[in-house]
């Protein structure tokens, strides 16, 4: 086990420093104009909201009780009317106007603030997805897909809520507190002391709340992780759950996790419901004290140490403005909630962002088969090269493994030196263009791993793999992968039409590529024919336009495989990797598949992971792997004559001997028990690590 048994995602997430600051720097800066417009509009709208109580107070004193002059803050007295009816009309106009201003600027603020929040969210989501696609296979081996989904969905939404709501509500709160306090002090600083005495108390109370609630949020997030793991396990392993009758056990796990989540959430809410009414109580106290002291003041003159005069109008202004405090204060707990969520989400976003990508183009990477491609256009952009192009875009397809060793990196994303036990050691062989090489050996011998290295899904730990003399690490990943076709045992089909699935990877988007649609259609049909898939496709209700995948018709294993073959026919790579299916299809289908594969392999360098020894007899050479090493090599006949592992495997399959000799079985058993125990312990630790 690695010293640090958290996965890469967790490690990088915990290393993120001041995540929200980084969010503003990396994403906020380019959209800052929206934020500024939103903030300014917000301030204008809120300040306009302070006008009615002020004007009302002034009007009461000047127009109704005649106890004071008609003056307004900021506005020079010379501009104001002196006759009472005109003062009244102006007051009405001002109050009416301020509501219109509030309305208009609230609209502007809404548009700008949402533009800011959603643009940032969009950028975060697409960048995170791009980064996710660049990550090495090692990342996905850790099965962190659930977490990635959550970054793309929940975390991006949390940020949006924060950037829109929380940010603007805190701005509004700030404006209200400062604006109201200024007006109150301006009109009567003595009574203002009474009203504003609650503010420091509210501040302290909020500090206490934030300190108390923060650890509860941390605890809540960790149980959310547990809950997601429990859900994901049960869903992805549904077949195992059903066949093992463990529904009750899974329900119990989910129930436990869900109940912990409930308890953690309640513990946050309990605090929330102390805080919220507490704040309202303090605001209410401020209001009651203002009302009591102000009322006494009006009736009996300044109480206690106070000396200034208080008019009815000022008193009304005080009472109305104090009331306006309450609503934004009630938002504080929401702001804190949104802030906490956003901080955690932001850590995850940048945690994902910071995971280093190791398999990437080197600065001076060359195009595999570069010279020929520049004539015919890049193969991947849809530039049409003739079908069955003998030249394969300039790639001949000579493959050489030079003393290759490989260990699956335990936690390579965290520490590249940290590698597990070797899965391949000192593998050397070469294949000439057009050769077919069969890979044979017991399960776990390293056959798939060997070929994944050719596709550069992982990098060799030692040694080198060369295609046409170029180290695969020195050519562009794109040119390498478009020169190597891969037909997996289990074919992945996407939601879409048959035709889209066949041209996926070669003419993925016809509308964008500079190609003739009709020609591509012909090529797709041609490829399907070569893959023996045309007939069944033609018999489907909409032919090539039939939807398959999640929301379309379901295809059989044999049909899916033929689509995968058609896909590779269209790709027309110089090198081909076939993982022979072990699952049985009927004899007729098998014959069709075999025929199409033979056709496909005819003019390319082909590597077959052979499960049927008949495949080996047709190959130019076979490599027998055992425990990561090439133990035998040669043609079928040579291998039989050598009377080693191959001869034994062949004997078992041909029914000539009943079982493998004890020594092979024993060796295999030891190897597998060791590995199985190791893997099982790892899995258990993984699934029990919270979050
Ligand atoms: P084969 O194709 O011959 O059955 P593989 O190449 O799949 O063998 O596996 C070789 C060894 O590598 C096995 O011990 C297997 O457990 C291990 N292995 C395969 N894939 C991974 C992976 N993604 N991470 C860690 N170990 C792996």
């Amino acid at each position: 086990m690695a010293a640090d048994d958290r996965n890469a995602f967790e490690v990088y997430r915990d290393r993120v420093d001041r995540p929200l600051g980084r969010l503003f720097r990396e994403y906020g800066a380019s959209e800052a104009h929206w934020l500024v417009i939103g903030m300014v509009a917000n301030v204008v709208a809120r300040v306009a909201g302070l006008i009615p109580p002020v004007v009302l107070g002034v009007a009461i004193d000047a127009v109704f009780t005649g106890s004071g002059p008609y003056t307004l803050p900021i506005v020079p007295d010379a501009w104001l009317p002196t006759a009472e009816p005109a003062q009244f009309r102006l007051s009405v106009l001002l109050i009416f106007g301020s509501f219109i201003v509030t309305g208009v600027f609230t609209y502007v603020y809404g548009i700008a603030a949402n533009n800011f929040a959603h643009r940032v969210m969009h950028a975060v989501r697409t960048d995170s997805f791009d980064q996710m696609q660049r990550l090495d296979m090692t990342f996905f081996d850790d099965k962190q897909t659930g977490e990635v989904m959550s970054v793309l969905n929940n975390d991006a939404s949390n940020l949006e809520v924060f950037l829109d709501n929380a940010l603007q509500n805190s701005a509004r709160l700030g404006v209200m507190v400062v604006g109201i306090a200024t007006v109150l002090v301006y009109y009567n600083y003595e009574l203002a002391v009474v009203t504003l005495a609650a503010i420091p108390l509210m501040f302290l109370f909020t500090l206490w709340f934030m300190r108390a609630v923060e650890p509860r949020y941390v605890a809540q997030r960790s149980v959310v992780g547990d809950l997601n793991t429990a859900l994901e396990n049960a869903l992805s392993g549904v077949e195992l759950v059903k066949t093992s009758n463990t529904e009750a056990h899974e329900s119990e796990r989910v129930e436990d996790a869900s109940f912990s989540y409930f308890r953690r959430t309640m513990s946050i809410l309990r605090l929330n419901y102390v805080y919220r009414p507490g704040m309202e109580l303090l605001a209410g106290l401020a209001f009651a004290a203002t009302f009591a002291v102000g009322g006494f003041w009006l009736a009996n003159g300044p109480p206690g140490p106070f000396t200034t005069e208080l008019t009815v109008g000022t008193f009304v202004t005080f009472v109305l403005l104090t009331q306006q405090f309450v609503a934004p204060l009630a938002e504080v707990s929401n702001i804190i909630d949104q802030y906490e969520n956003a901080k955690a989400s932001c850590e995850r976003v940048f945690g994902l962002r910071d995971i280093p990508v190791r398999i990437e183009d080197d600065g001076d990477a060359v195009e595999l088969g570069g010279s020929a491609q520049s004539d015919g256009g890049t193969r991947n952009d849809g530039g049409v090269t003739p079908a069955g192009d003998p030249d394969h875009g300039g790639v001949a397809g000579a493959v050489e493994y030079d003393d290759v060793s490989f260990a699956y990196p335990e936690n390579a994303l965290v520490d590249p030196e940290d590698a597990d036990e070797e899965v391949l050691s000192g593998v050397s062989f070469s294949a000439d263009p057009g050769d077919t090489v069969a890979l044979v050996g017991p399960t776990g011998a390293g056959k798939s791993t060997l070929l994944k290295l050719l596709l550069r899904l992982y990098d060799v730990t030692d040694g080198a793999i060369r295609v046409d003399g170029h180290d695969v690490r020195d050519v562009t990943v794109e040119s390498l992968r478009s020169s190597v076709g891969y037909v997996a045992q289990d074919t992945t089909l996407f939601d879409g039409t048959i035709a889209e699935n066949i041209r996926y990877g070669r003419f993925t988007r016809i509308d964008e590529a500079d190609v003739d649609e009709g020609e591509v259609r012909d090529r797709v049909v041609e490829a399907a024919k070569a893959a023996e898939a045309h007939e069944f496709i033609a018999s489907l209700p909409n032919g090539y336009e039939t939807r398959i995948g999640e929301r379309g018709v379901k295809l059989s294993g044999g049909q899916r495989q033929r689509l995968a073959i058609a896909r590779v026919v269209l790709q027309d790579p110089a090198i081909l990797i076939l993982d022979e299916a072990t699952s049985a299809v009927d004899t007729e289908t098998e014959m069709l598949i075999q025929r199409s594969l033979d056709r496909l392999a005819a003019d390319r360098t082909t590597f077959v992971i052979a499960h049927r020894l008949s495949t080996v007899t047709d190959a130019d050479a076979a490599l027998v792997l055992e425990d990561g090493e090439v133990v035998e090599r040669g043609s079928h006949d040579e291998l039989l004559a050598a009377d080693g592992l191959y001869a034994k495997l062949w004997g078992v399959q041909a029914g000539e001997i009943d079982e493998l000799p004890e020594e092979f079985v024993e060796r295999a058993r030891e190897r597998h028990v060791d590995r199985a125990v190791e893997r099982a312990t790892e899995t258990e630790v993984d699934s029990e690590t919270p979050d």
Side-chain angles (χ1 to χ4, degrees):
M1 289 291 311
D4 192 342
D5 62 3
R6 293 169 305 162
N7 63 38
F9 198 2
E10 288 161 359
V11 171
Y12 283 96
R13 189 192 62 202
D14 292 349
R15 286 186 193 169
V16 175
D17 192 29
R18 302 175 131 268
L20 288 171
R22 202 170 145 191
L23 180 75
F24 281 102
R25 278 197 308 281
E26 291 185 20
Y27 290 99
S30 57
E31 305 295 341
H33 53 287
W34 289 112
L35 181 66
V36 172
I37 296 174
M39 287 282 181
V40 170
N42 195 2
V43 169
V44 173
R46 293 310 131 202
V47 170
L50 299 179
I51 293 175
V54 170
V55 171
L56 191 62
V58 171
I60 287 174
D61 286 345
V63 183
F64 304 128
T65 63
S67 58
Y70 194 89
T71 57
L72 289 170
I74 311 171
V75 186
D77 287 345
W79 295 7
L80 297 172
T82 44
E84 283 179 4
Q87 289 172 345
F88 178 66
R89 280 197 301 276
L90 178 65
S91 301
V92 172
L93 213 67
L94 280 175
I95 291 175
F96 190 63
S98 71
F99 280 114
I100 291 183
V101 170
T102 304
V104 170
F105 279 86
T106 304
Y107 168 80
V108 174
Y109 139 71
I111 298 286
N114 277 297
N115 251 300
F116 176 71
H118 285 269
R119 278 164 193 268
V120 169
M121 179 177 81
H122 172 69
V124 166
R125 185 178 279 152
T126 46
D127 271 12
S128 301
F129 183 72
D130 290 349
Q131 157 72 2
M132 187 273 289
Q133 293 213 98
R134 289 169 56 234
L135 286 174
D136 300 336
M137 275 310 287
T138 321
F139 175 80
F140 300 96
D141 290 343
D142 272 353
K143 297 207 188 87
Q144 294 163 13
T145 43
E147 301 218 35
V148 178
M149 286 293 279
S150 151
V151 170
L152 298 175
N153 282 323
N154 306 346
D155 292 336
S157 318
N158 281 346
L159 292 184
E160 183 250 308
V161 170
F162 169 76
L163 293 172
D164 176 4
N165 255 312
L167 219 53
Q168 297 292 348
N169 277 336
S170 17
R172 180 175 130 187
L173 185 67
V175 174
M176 295 302 273
V177 172
V178 174
I180 291 176
T182 312
V183 174
L184 295 188
V185 170
Y186 175 84
Y187 276 106
N188 190 320
Y189 67 93
E190 287 177 342
L191 187 55
V193 171
V194 175
T195 311
L196 300 175
I199 300 276
L201 290 179
M202 289 174 169
F203 185 72
L204 289 177
F205 190 43
T206 303
L207 272 189
W208 165 81
F209 173 70
M210 283 181 78
R211 295 240 168 90
V213 83
E214 166 114 40
R216 298 183 190 211
Y217 274 108
V218 173
Q220 187 199 38
R221 282 197 292 274
S222 117
V223 295
V224 170
D226 291 351
L227 182 59
N228 285 344
T229 310
L231 290 175
E232 211 179 293
N233 271 354
L235 281 179
S236 58
V238 63
E239 199 174 273
L240 177 68
V241 171
K242 281 190 186 298
T243 53
S244 328
N245 283 322
T246 45
E247 287 94 339
H249 167 73
E250 293 301 329
S251 294
E252 211 172 291
R253 276 175 52 159
V254 169
E255 198 180 313
D256 286 350
S258 172
F259 191 67
S260 316
Y261 176 70
F262 161 77
R263 287 200 353 239
R264 307 283 180 183
T265 308
M266 282 311 289
S267 93
I268 293 176
L269 289 179
R270 270 198 301 275
L271 264 193
N272 252 324
Y273 282 105
V274 170
Y275 176 72
R276 220 175 222 270
M279 289 292 271
E280 278 168 14
L281 183 67
L282 285 173
L285 282 179
F287 175 69
T290 309
F291 185 68
V293 175
F296 181 85
W297 200 319
L298 278 184
N300 308 308
F306 300 137
T307 53
T308 50
E309 196 201 331
L310 180 70
T311 63
V312 179
T314 306
F315 178 64
V316 168
T317 303
F318 262 75
V319 167
L320 289 178
L321 285 180
T322 313
Q323 276 282 293
Q324 286 201 8
F325 261 133
V326 181
L329 283 178
E331 283 294 322
V332 174
S333 64
N334 283 340
I335 296 176
I336 294 175
D337 183 69
Q338 291 159 1
Y339 166 78
E340 287 290 340
N341 282 330
K343 206 168 73 171
S345 291
C346 212
E347 276 172 10
R348 294 152 57 88
V349 165
F350 289 114
L352 183 70
R353 182 73 35 82
D354 291 345
I355 297 176
V357 177
R358 305 219 185 271
I359 299 190
E360 262 191 317
D361 288 349
D362 212 0
D364 41 14
V366 296
E367 294 272 314
L368 194 56
S371 54
Q373 280 181 19
S374 49
D375 305 334
T378 330
R379 296 167 63 80
N380 233 20
D381 69 359
V384 184
T385 39
D389 163 27
D391 196 23
H392 299 299
V395 183
V399 175
E400 187 195 356
Y401 277 62
D402 183 0
D403 202 16
V404 168
S405 297
F406 177 71
Y408 278 100
E410 171 84 42
N411 217 342
L413 298 169
V414 180
D415 176 8
E417 301 299 314
D418 177 21
D420 214 359
E421 169 195 1
E422 276 193 351
V423 168
L424 294 172
S425 32
V427 175
S428 294
F429 66 87
S430 56
D432 290 334
D435 274 2
T436 294
V437 177
L439 299 177
V440 195
T443 314
K447 304 180 294 289
S448 323
T449 306
L450 192 74
L451 297 178
K452 283 181 196 164
L453 297 179
L454 179 58
L455 277 160
R456 223 183 149 205
L457 294 178
Y458 304 89
D459 270 339
V460 299
T461 323
D462 239 322
I465 299 175
R466 283 184 276 270
V467 174
D468 288 357
H470 295 284
D471 190 312
V472 290
R473 287 165 293 189
D474 297 336
V475 298
T476 62
V477 176
E478 189 182 328
S479 69
L480 174 72
R481 292 191 186 150
S482 61
S483 309
V484 183
Y486 177 47
V487 181
Q489 263 193 37
D490 197 8
T491 305
T492 307
L493 295 176
F494 286 102
D495 191 58
T497 65
I498 297 251
E500 281 163 358
N501 266 282
I502 293 180
R503 56 183 166 75
Y504 188 81
R506 182 72 170 89
F507 302 103
T508 317
R509 304 270 317 252
I510 342 186
D511 48 342
E512 278 185 2
D514 182 21
V515 289
D516 178 45
E517 242 185 275
E519 191 183 337
V520 172
R521 213 171 299 129
D522 293 345
R523 297 275 300 277
V524 166
V525 174
E526 208 179 292
K529 281 183 180 159
E532 305 282 352
H534 178 72
E535 268 178 40
F536 90 79
I537 296 172
S539 72
L540 290 172
N542 292 318
Y544 284 84
E545 297 310 314
T546 309
R547 278 192 91 78
I548 51 173
E550 242 171 67
R551 274 171 286 153
V553 298
K554 302 273 175 286
L555 299 177
S556 74
Q559 291 170 329
R560 298 162 69 88
Q561 209 179 12
R562 277 175 281 165
L563 288 190
I565 295 170
R567 194 182 278 167
V568 178
V569 171
L570 202 61
Q571 181 191 350
D572 190 25
I575 301 166
L576 180 66
I577 294 176
L578 297 176
D579 197 347
E580 208 168 65
T582 41
S583 51
V585 287
D586 59 87
T587 330
E588 191 190 350
T589 310
E590 187 176 334
M591 202 194 66
L592 288 176
I593 292 175
Q594 201 50 53
R595 204 161 67 185
S596 62
L597 285 177
D598 289 347
R599 215 175 278 148
L600 186 61
D603 61 344
R604 319 166 202 273
T605 316
T606 305
F607 297 94
V608 202
I609 296 182
H611 298 293
R612 276 179 291 274
L613 293 174
S614 58
T615 309
V616 188
T617 46
D618 296 338
D620 296 301
L623 291 174
V624 185
L625 275 142
E626 192 191 11
D627 209 8
E629 288 178 48
V630 179
V631 288
E632 291 164 32
R633 65 181 79 210
S635 70
H636 170 72
D637 292 334
E638 288 163 359
L639 287 170
L640 270 192
D643 199 25
L645 176 59
Y646 180 83
K648 304 291 184 294
L649 289 167
W650 171 247
V652 173
Q653 204 173 78
E656 283 166 13
I657 51 177
D658 286 340
E659 52 185 35
L660 275 179
E662 198 52 37
E663 51 168 322
F664 288 113
V665 179
E666 199 45 51
R667 279 215 307 268
R669 192 177 291 141
E670 272 169 20
R671 206 168 51 227
H672 282 285
V673 168
D674 283 356
R675 287 206 177 130
V677 169
E678 200 176 288
R679 306 218 125 238
T681 11
E682 273 171 31
T683 323
E684 220 164 273
V685 171
D686 278 356
S687 61
E688 277 172 22
T689 317
D691 202 2

